[in-house]
Amino acid sequence: MNEQATSRPDAPVQEAPSTDVLLTAEVFAGEPGCIAQARALADRFLTRLVAEWLAVVGEHTRSDLMLAVSELITNADRYSHGPYMLELEGNAQRISVTVYDSSTALPVLYSPDPARLGGHGMEIVVALCDRVTAERVPVGKRIRAEFELST
């Protein structure tokens, strides 16, 4: 991905999301079990979003979001040199999964190739969510995966 990359550029531009959202975040240092901890954080977040915001999160969306969290945290753990942060933000209409890490190298999105060993993480994330952005920020980079919810 380039300086700033966005998936699905043909998608219509949507209005800015409401600032009234449920938000949670946690920093990980790459300790053993951090991917499971990130998934547990996402699971608790989704449970709260359904209970407090009456968001409709089907099993398919839940599974996609959990896999996206796993892939993004795995990439941050593998390619950054230092701590990384998972931020989950949502309301009844949308959920975003954002990972900040210390590496300024943006992810590479390869063409689908079932014979290629590895390098499928971002391909998976792009296929799962409605929009993906990756950009450099002062601390390194930010990758955000967005999910639109059915109402």
Side-chain angles (χ1 to χ4, degrees), residues 14-67:
Q14 299 180 0
E15 63 186 65
S18 166
T19 57
D20 195 18
V21 296
L22 179 63
L23 177 67
T24 191
E26 190 168 329
V27 174
F28 300 94
E31 64 280 356
C34 65
I35 296 167
Q37 292 170 1
R39 288 175 57 87
L41 179 69
D43 187 56
R44 290 189 307 271
F45 174 81
L46 290 174
T47 299
R48 283 189 62 202
L49 195 63
V50 168
E52 297 174 20
W53 288 78
L54 305 178
V56 177
V57 181
E59 273 308 306
H60 185 74
T61 301
R62 179 181 284 271
S63 296
D64 288 354
L65 189 133
M66 297 299 276
L67 182 53

Side-chain angles (χ1 to χ4, degrees), residues 1-5 103-108 134-136 141-142:
M1 295 190 160
N2 299 336
E3 194 68 29
Q4 178 178 6
S103 171
T104 58
L106 294 174
V108 176
E135 61 186 334
R136 289 185 178 92
K141 73 173 164 293
R142 170 180 56 215

Side-chain angles (χ1 to χ4, degrees), residues 48-124:
R48 283 189 62 202
L49 195 63
V50 168
E52 297 174 20
W53 288 78
L54 305 178
V56 177
V57 181
E59 273 308 306
H60 185 74
T61 301
R62 179 181 284 271
S63 296
D64 288 354
L65 189 133
M66 297 299 276
L67 182 53
V69 166
S70 295
E71 291 296 334
L72 292 173
I73 290 295
T74 297
N75 286 350
D77 190 57
R78 182 173 291 158
Y79 299 113
S80 70
H81 305 287
Y84 41 90
M85 182 174 79
L86 170 63
E87 178 183 85
L88 299 156
E89 180 179 308
N91 58 29
Q93 291 79 37
R94 66 185 56 83
I95 301 171
S96 67
V97 175
T98 306
V99 175
Y100 295 85
D101 70 47
S102 60
S103 171
T104 58
L106 294 174
V108 176
L109 184 58
Y110 299 103
S111 299
D113 180 0
R116 183 182 66 250
L117 297 176
H120 296 281
M122 287 307 296
E123 180 183 341
I124 291 168

